[in-house]
Amino acid sequence: MACKGYLKEVTKGIIKENPVLCLVLGTCPTLAVTTAASNAIGMGLAATIVLIGSNAVVSALRKVIPDKVRIPAYITIIATFVTIVQMLVKAFAPAIDESLGIFLPLIVVNCIILGRAEMFASKNPVIPSMLDGLGMGIGFTAALLLMGSIRELLGAGTWFGMEIIPALNIVIFLLPPGGFFVFGMLIAFANKLNGGKTAKNAGGCASCPMKGSCTVLGKGDKSDD
Amino acid sequence: MIKGLVAVFLAAILTENYVLAKFLGICPFLGVSKKLNTAVGMSAAVTFVMVLATAVTYPIFMYLLVPAGLDYLQTIVFILVIAGLVQLVEIVLKKYMRVLYRSLGIYLPLITTNCAVLGVTMLVIEKSGEGYGFLHALINALGAGIGFLLAMVMFAGVRGKLETADIPKSLKGLPITLVAASLVSLSFLGFAGLVDNMLGLA
C-alpha cells in the first residue's frame, strides 16, 4: 500500500504534473539551454539533484522554520545545494559547466525548486518529499530532453552530437525565436492531449511560488471588472 | 571611454536583450505583460532593483569575496543580498515614499525570484576585467532594465492585439503567447551587429 503511494509521488511529476509542460514552471532554463540534447540532460540532472536535496532539507526543517521567514530560509537552503552542484559540475564535467554557463547558478531562482519547497516539501514528510523531488526532476529532464532533441535535430541535424539528418540545418531553431516557438508548440500539444485543461490560466504567474505574496495578479483582475 | 559606455548601454538594451536574447526573466515577461500599465510598473521596479543590486554585489564580490578567497560563495551571497535588498527597499518605500510604493511596491516581492536580476549581477562579474569596471557594470544593469522595459512594452502591445484574434483552441492562452514572443524576439535578431557598426567599433 505504502509502496504504491510512494510510486505515485514519483510518477505524477513525470506526466500528470509535469513541471514544464503542465505547470509551466522554470521557463527560463527550458528556453535557454535546450539548444542541444546533451545540455538538456546536464541541466536536468543538476536541477534534479538540487530538487531532491532541497526538498529533503526543507521537509526535515518544516516544523523549525517560522512561517514568516520561510521564503528566505528556503532560498538559502536551495542556494547551498546549487553551490555544491556547481562545484561538482566544475570538477567532473567542465564541458557541461561551459555550455550551461550562467544558468547553472541560476537554478537558485528556478521556480520549480522554490515551488516544490513551498507547495510540497513544507507540508510532507522527508521520504515523500524526496520522491516528489525525484519525480519532478525526471519530469523536468524529460521535457528539456524532448525540447533539446527537437531543436538540435531541426537546427543542426544532429542528436547528442551524432549526425542524423545532415540536410537539416534550420539555424533559427537554435536561436531564441526558435526556442519560444518550439516551447509554444509543445505546450499546445500537451494542451491537446489533456483536453485543454492545462496551461489555460498558467500564464507564468498563476503557478508562480510567490503568488501568495504577490498582488499583481489580483490587482490586474480587479481592473478588468 | 564614453564610446565604450554607450556601446555597453545599447548592447544591453538591443543586441543582448536579457529577455529576448538571453532568456532571463521569462516568468514576469509572460505573466505580467497582459496590460501596459502593469508591464511598465514591473519593468521600472526591475530596473531599479537591478541597478541597486549591481551597485551592492559588485563591490562585495570584488573587495570582500575575492580577497578572502570565497568567490565560490557567489551564488549564495548574491541571492541573499538581493532578497535582503528587495525587502529593505520595500520597507523604505512603504514608510517614506507612499506614492512610489503604490506604483512599484506591489511588484517587489516578485523580483527576488526574477532570474534577470541575479543574472545581471552575475554576468557583470563574468565580464569584468580590463576596461570593464564598476561604471560599466552599473551602465550594463541600467541598460538591461531598460531592455526589459522595451521588451515588456512591445509585448504588451502585441498581446493586446492577440485578445481579439481568433485562435485555434489548443493554442489559446500560453502557446499563442509564446509564438508571439518568438516573433518579437525574431525582430530583435535584426539588431545584431548594429551597435558595433553604429559606433565604429567593429
Side-chain angles (χ1 to χ4, degrees), chain A residues 24 28 86 106 176-177 191 203 210 215, chain B residues 20 24 31 75 109 115 170 182 185:
Chain A
V24 200
C28 298
Q86 227 179 322
L106 282 184
N191 238 352
M210 305 297 279
T215 41
Chain B
L20 296 167
L24 292 168
T75 313
C115 51
S170 0
S182 157
S185 113

Side-chain angles (χ1 to χ4, degrees), chain A residues 34-59:
Chain A
T34 52
T35 49
S38 52
N39 285 356
I41 292 278
M43 182 72 203
L45 279 183
T48 306
I49 297 171
V50 175
L51 250 174
I52 298 174
S54 67
N55 261 9
V57 174
V58 166
S59 157

Side-chain angles (χ1 to χ4, degrees), chain B residues 30-94:
Chain B
L30 295 175
V32 202
S33 62
K34 262 191 189 136
K35 291 198 186 64
L36 193 62
N37 55 345
T38 45
V40 172
M42 180 75 185
S43 316
V46 165
T47 311
F48 181 63
V49 173
M50 268 179 184
V51 175
L52 205 61
T54 310
V56 176
T57 53
Y58 190 89
I60 287 183
F61 186 80
M62 288 302 166
Y63 304 114
L64 207 67
L65 294 184
V66 172
L70 294 172
D71 44 343
Y72 64 89
L73 284 178
Q74 191 196 24
T75 313
I76 198 162
V77 168
F78 278 26
I79 189 70
L80 287 179
V81 166
I82 292 171
L85 208 59
V86 169
Q87 199 68 251
L88 190 73
V89 169
E90 200 183 348
I91 294 169
V92 169
L93 284 187
K94 203 172 187 176

Side-chain angles (χ1 to χ4, degrees), chain B residues 81-160:
Chain B
V81 166
I82 292 171
L85 208 59
V86 169
Q87 199 68 251
L88 190 73
V89 169
E90 200 183 348
I91 294 169
V92 169
L93 284 187
K94 203 172 187 176
K95 185 119 179 113
Y96 298 107
M97 288 172 254
R98 297 293 308 192
V99 183
L100 204 58
Y101 178 74
R102 241 170 279 146
S103 51
L104 294 188
I106 51 167
Y107 305 103
L108 286 172
L110 279 176
I111 289 177
T112 313
T113 51
N114 182 342
C115 51
V117 176
L118 186 60
V120 165
T121 57
M122 290 184 134
L123 282 173
V124 150
I125 299 287
E126 234 168 62
K127 272 191 204 163
S128 68
E130 269 177 56
Y132 198 100
F134 188 50
L135 199 57
H136 287 81
L138 286 184
I139 294 287
N140 184 50
L142 182 66
I146 292 175
F148 188 74
L149 173 81
L150 183 68
M152 289 280 271
V153 168
M154 277 176 66
F155 199 53
V158 173
R159 281 186 89 163

